[in-house]
Amino acid sequence: MPTAAPTAAADPLDAVVVGAGFAGLYQLHRLRGQGLRVRVFDAAEDVGGTWYWNRYPGCRCDVESVDYSYSFSPELDQEWTWTERYAAQPEILAYLRHVADRFDLRRDITFSTSVTAASFAEDRWTVTTDGGETVSARFLIMATGCLSVLKPPEVDGLDRFAGPVHHTGRWPHEGVDVSGRRVAVIGTGSSGVQSIPLLAADAARLTVFQRTPSYVLPAHNRPLTSEEIADRKANYPEHRAAARTSGFGIPRAPATGERALEVSPAQRRARYQGAYDEGVLIALGGTFADLRLDQAANDTVAEFIRGKIRDRVADPETAEALSPRGYPFGTKRHALDTGYFETYNSEHVELVDLRQTPLVEVTGTGVRTTERLYEVDVLVLATGFDAMTGALLAPDIRGRDGRTLREAWADGPRTHLGLAVAGFPNLFVITGPGSPSVLSNMVVSIEQHADWIADAIAELDRRGLPTIEATPEAEAEWVAHVAELADHTLLPKADSWYIGANVPGKPRVFMAYLGGVGPYRQRCDAEAEAGYPGFRLG
Ligand code: NA7
């Protein structure tokens, strides 16, 4: 039975939250807990965000399950039991569905609905959806995820291809049967690295089109033992607390401060080998203090990884083509793999090096490079996302005086603390540009932001104030600080999605805060404790 769409007047919401992934679910739970009326919109048919959409074979998190999970509920920690060291997508989605049910979140979520526009006037946001609905709320909270708007490859003819074309970020729910078929994969970032071994296992022939080889380290994924689970369940509070003050949102022993070139080559190698064997995303980068800072130091770890690729790939030419060169380790997102390099030892798997023979077009029957046409039946695009700003700029968001967010960010994203934007009162961004976000354990960063936002709203309500807005001065200072931290490192050197380089025409601005999760939390807490000096409270 159709229901009447609520009108702005009939539906005096406190907050609209856009997105029902890790961020939106927890934000809803928090705000509801302080008695606010909240409505969440999500384009998907169910909760899950990135874990709803990314269903490609092999999709799994590369932060350990026991770290990549909510910390806000000790009961949830005890009830939920992860089965693998690195949970696969179906298990993470099941976890988020469980969270939605357990905390009765679905009743405030409208699914299959995108927010298309939002404008601020008279202390409220008016939010419009693609369902034609308009709602009004005091606060607009973007929980849209950092990697949710797809980036297709820049190649002509995709629409001419006769067979199925699937982006890894929109994989069909029923799966894709590639058995006996010739499959092409374009892209060798995390999604390519994870899916290629499984696609190869079923396909008759697999052709991988690689533009930039990734630094790839073994995940050493495995089932968790009952002892490990019992131990973690007994120690969750300590572990969660350590995550919150750590550098990446993952508890690790503090770095020693030792520099890579201070030790002998044998000592260096032993240190790298130990980290390589650990199978932890941040272990290798944490072996020496200067790997992110000094090219010569970084060269040593890059060469160590290239040596491992030579060990794992039988054909020397293929090994060389798979070896990352020309950008430092850790400056583009590296990946954890299970059997990635060994896949290229199979007769039916072929690597096409697009640096030697660039893509020309997709035809009705396959993919053409400058060298030849590769005929295939299925085309897989593992070509990534319009990262960090894509989903924030997709709706038409208008702040004070009708100024659009697209105008405000024409030269790159600008935020105060990655949380708020000058000229856009009562708009909050969860894990926005200028916060640790993608350079951290996302769940830890999400919880921190959702808590900070909920506390800020509670403070406004306590003081009876309608609005909170970042000042242009605080924003400018924060933008400069984020850039300065990045410029101190090797990270801006690479053409990565951290800096917008994967999307033609996107401003080249380093978008993540590099000061670390713990110090960043302290900075945000200090802002609140000092009465929000970087904000105007109206
Ligand atoms: P990524 O990491 O952005 O990887 C995309 C890959 O697709 C990467 O190898 C790109 O090469 C390649 N690509 C993109 N456009 C093209 C074109 N036009 N031609 C050829 N190759 C292309 O996305 P993922 O989905 O793998 O991973 C996203 C994140 O998910 C990951 O970082 C983790 O945080 C989890 P390029 O490097 O641009 O030369």
Side-chain angles (χ1 to χ4, degrees), residues 191-208:
S191 303
V193 165
Q194 290 186 337
S195 58
I196 283 164
L198 285 135
L199 291 168
D202 290 340
R205 179 149 198 88
L206 182 74
T207 310
V208 178

Side-chain angles (χ1 to χ4, degrees), residues 198-370:
L198 285 135
L199 291 168
D202 290 340
R205 179 149 198 88
L206 182 74
T207 310
V208 178
F209 295 87
Q210 171 193 265
R211 186 164 68 183
T212 309
S214 290
Y215 290 97
V216 180
L217 313 169
H220 299 304
N221 187 35
R222 55 178 172 71
L224 289 171
T225 65
S226 47
E227 292 76 29
E228 284 172 316
I229 290 163
D231 181 54
R232 182 50 60 90
K233 286 192 176 183
N235 295 302
Y236 257 131
E238 297 79 356
H239 199 80
R240 301 293 196 193
R244 289 187 198 110
T245 55
S246 67
F248 292 95
I250 301 168
R252 302 275 303 168
T256 60
E258 201 168 15
R259 302 171 79 85
L261 298 173
E262 277 171 6
V263 304
S264 72
Q267 286 170 318
R268 226 171 17 238
R269 202 184 152 74
R271 191 84 63 83
Y272 292 153
Q273 185 66 48
Y276 189 82
D277 292 341
E278 253 190 84
V280 171
L281 194 68
I282 60 171
L284 197 53
T287 45
F288 293 101
D290 54 349
L291 296 183
R292 274 216 293 209
L293 308 174
D294 179 53
Q295 183 68 56
N298 195 289
D299 288 344
T300 64
V301 71
E303 185 47 33
F304 172 84
I305 299 169
R306 289 191 287 266
K308 292 296 175 190
I309 298 171
R310 290 191 287 273
D311 291 346
R312 293 174 65 183
V313 178
D315 172 47
E317 263 181 47
T318 307
E320 181 51 33
L322 286 165
S323 294
R325 291 186 190 278
Y327 68 97
F329 167 69
T331 57
K332 286 178 83 145
R333 176 63 149 75
H334 52 281
L336 293 187
D337 85 297
T338 301
Y340 174 65
F341 290 116
E342 290 74 10
T343 303
Y344 294 94
N345 296 333
S346 295
E347 280 293 310
H348 72 299
V349 177
E350 180 179 13
L351 180 71
V352 178
D353 184 348
L354 297 177
R355 293 163 307 175
Q356 304 296 328
T357 58
L359 283 181
V360 172
E361 61 172 347
V362 174
T363 71
T365 58
V367 178
R368 190 191 306 281
T369 66
T370 50

Side-chain angles (χ1 to χ4, degrees), residues 352-407:
V352 178
D353 184 348
L354 297 177
R355 293 163 307 175
Q356 304 296 328
T357 58
L359 283 181
V360 172
E361 61 172 347
V362 174
T363 71
T365 58
V367 178
R368 190 191 306 281
T369 66
T370 50
E371 189 191 30
R372 52 166 280 213
L373 173 69
Y374 295 83
E375 298 216 318
V376 295
D377 305 308
V378 180
L379 185 49
V380 175
L381 308 177
T383 46
F385 302 87
D386 181 356
M388 307 191 68
T389 54
L392 297 171
L393 297 178
D396 183 21
I397 297 181
R398 291 169 187 262
R400 270 193 205 289
D401 308 321
R403 184 156 195 251
T404 66
L405 192 59
R406 286 174 208 151
E407 285 162 354

